Amino acid sequence: MNELERIEFQAMRGWHDAFAAAGLSNFDWELVEIGDAVCSVSSSEPGILVNRGFSLGSERPPTLEQLVAIREVYERANVPRPFLQVLPDNFGANREALLTRAGFRRHRAWMKFTRGPGELPTPRSDLTIRRIDSNRMADFAAIVAPAFDMTAASQ
């Protein structure tokens, strides 16, 4: 798994563990390992922010059997549209055909941006960025939830 994927997955695991520690009985969420992939699965929250497959193809090229098993995990959880984070270099040239044969279809893309080391330019904006606390969490949820097709269960 590349460094960016590893960091993102650690953040997801931390988020998952925080939900579990909070004992939220109305929110089911599990992490399921299938080969080198880890599937974040929640039937309570069908949105793509929670229902994502990580590290697929990080150790070896994915097989049709592995992809079908991943799709079946989400089907059993009644998640209509999970998001697979695909590492294109590890799939090979038949990536699209393999995903299609396994029952997946392209719906939307997820972009990640990186930059090299060095000084950041001084930003110019009339926007204000500030930390929020629990008093403003509903405001934050009102923006994030619709952006990621999330339901009221996660707000």
Side-chain angles (χ1 to χ4, degrees):
M1 183 182 316
N2 69 36
E3 186 69 6
L4 193 55
E5 292 290 321
R6 187 185 65 72
I7 291 168
E8 189 171 6
F9 175 69
Q10 285 178 337
M12 176 63 78
R13 183 177 295 280
W15 189 25
H16 171 269
D17 293 348
F19 268 70
L24 301 173
S25 61
N26 65 333
F27 199 89
D28 71 305
W29 188 359
E30 63 180 324
L31 299 178
V32 179
E33 293 184 27
I34 301 174
D36 61 354
V38 179
C39 300
S40 173
V41 184
S42 174
S43 59
S44 300
E45 178 49 71
I48 64 170
L49 190 59
V50 176
N51 289 288
R52 289 192 277 165
F54 290 88
S55 74
L56 178 62
S58 62
E59 294 177 14
R60 67 189 70 74
T63 64
L64 178 61
E65 295 76 20
Q66 180 185 24
L67 290 167
V68 167
I70 290 169
R71 181 182 46 78
E72 289 172 347
V73 163
Y74 289 108
E75 284 177 352
R76 282 192 299 274
N78 294 314
V79 174
R81 201 172 33 127
F83 189 88
L84 292 184
Q85 293 187 207
V86 174
L87 302 172
D89 295 342
N90 300 343
F91 256 85
N94 66 342
R95 175 181 73 225
E96 296 294 327
L98 184 60
L99 288 164
T100 299
R101 283 183 57 210
F104 291 99
R105 67 177 180 83
R106 180 181 294 272
H107 182 76
R108 71 195 273 188
W110 188 286
M111 301 277 307
K112 293 182 186 174
F113 299 92
T114 62
R115 67 171 199 85
E119 292 294 319
L120 289 174
T122 303
R124 287 179 272 161
S125 173
D126 59 348
L127 300 175
T128 301
I129 299 172
R130 61 180 174 242
R131 291 188 184 273
I132 61 169
D133 59 21
S134 60
N135 294 327
R136 301 299 303 264
M137 67 184 173
D139 297 331
F140 179 77
I143 296 168
V144 173
F148 290 101
D149 302 325
M150 299 174 81
T151 64
S154 60
Q155 292 184 32

